[in-house]
Amino acid sequence: GPSWKVFDKKEELLYELRRTNAKDHLHTALFLKSDIESTPLPPIPSSLKWSSQIIKYKPNSIKIQGFSSKAALLVLTDNFHRHWKAKVNGISTPVVPAYYTLRAVEVPSGNFIVEFNYEDKKLMAAYAMIPFGIGILLLGFFVLIKLF
């Protein structure tokens, strides 16, 4: 059945990744203790019936629906970044790094919908400044035209 291991040091986790093969990684997720200290993992299920399907995949938005017979972890094989946020069944849920570089969220038993959204407030502020910057450039351009 599915399981996970928690490591105290990054080097131990990376050694375990090198030591094991990809087939092992399908059933055992690896976590760094410092990454999950504020996010307790659910109990390891003794058996699990599971299905999931990606129903939307865009660069900054991913939606997955599925079913789990017990509370479990969904590991998305995309890179983890602290700006990825998740909602599970509409409730904000912590995103934690799995395998040091992928992202994971806890899902409840039963049907679930997980929505990942990339939310970088600095990047959004920069995008919001683009029209202002263009406006300044156009104003400067028109001032120059009037002067000449």
Side-chain angles (χ1 to χ4, degrees):
S3 67
W4 39 86
K5 292 181 183 176
V6 179
F7 296 87
D8 290 323
K9 297 178 183 174
K10 171 179 76 170
E11 294 78 19
E12 295 170 342
L13 186 149
L14 295 174
Y15 174 77
E16 181 72 5
L17 279 171
R18 285 191 304 271
R19 188 185 72 73
T20 54
N21 63 44
K23 193 173 184 180
D24 295 328
H25 302 160
L26 290 174
H27 301 287
T28 304
L30 309 178
F31 295 94
L32 192 57
K33 186 177 185 178
S34 60
D35 289 334
I36 60 167
E37 284 178 333
S38 62
T39 310
L41 301 177
I44 295 174
S46 56
S47 64
L48 185 68
K49 292 183 181 178
W50 173 279
S51 66
S52 62
Q53 178 182 6
I54 296 174
I55 56 176
K56 178 175 92 172
Y57 192 96
K58 294 184 177 182
N60 61 352
S61 179
I62 300 165
K63 190 173 189 177
I64 300 167
Q65 69 180 18
F67 170 83
S68 181
S69 61
K70 297 180 181 170
L73 294 170
L74 178 138
V75 176
L76 182 64
T77 55
D78 277 354
N79 283 334
F80 171 85
H81 191 278
R82 63 187 171 89
H83 293 303
W84 279 104
K85 307 298 180 204
K87 288 187 177 184
V88 177
N89 295 338
I91 299 169
S92 289
T93 302
V95 179
V96 295
Y99 303 101
Y100 194 68
T101 188
L102 306 179
R103 48 191 132 121
V105 294
E106 182 178 349
V107 295
S109 62
N111 293 317
F112 62 83
I113 293 179
V114 177
E115 297 175 90
F116 289 100
N117 290 294
Y118 190 79
E119 298 175 5
D120 183 347
K121 300 209 184 310
K122 289 181 183 177
L123 183 61
M124 298 310 251
Y127 285 152
M129 296 299 290
I130 290 172
F132 178 74
I134 291 172
I136 295 292
L137 287 173
L138 289 174
L139 180 63
F141 178 72
F142 289 124
V143 169
L144 285 174
I145 288 176
K146 287 201 172 229
L147 289 175
F148 295 100

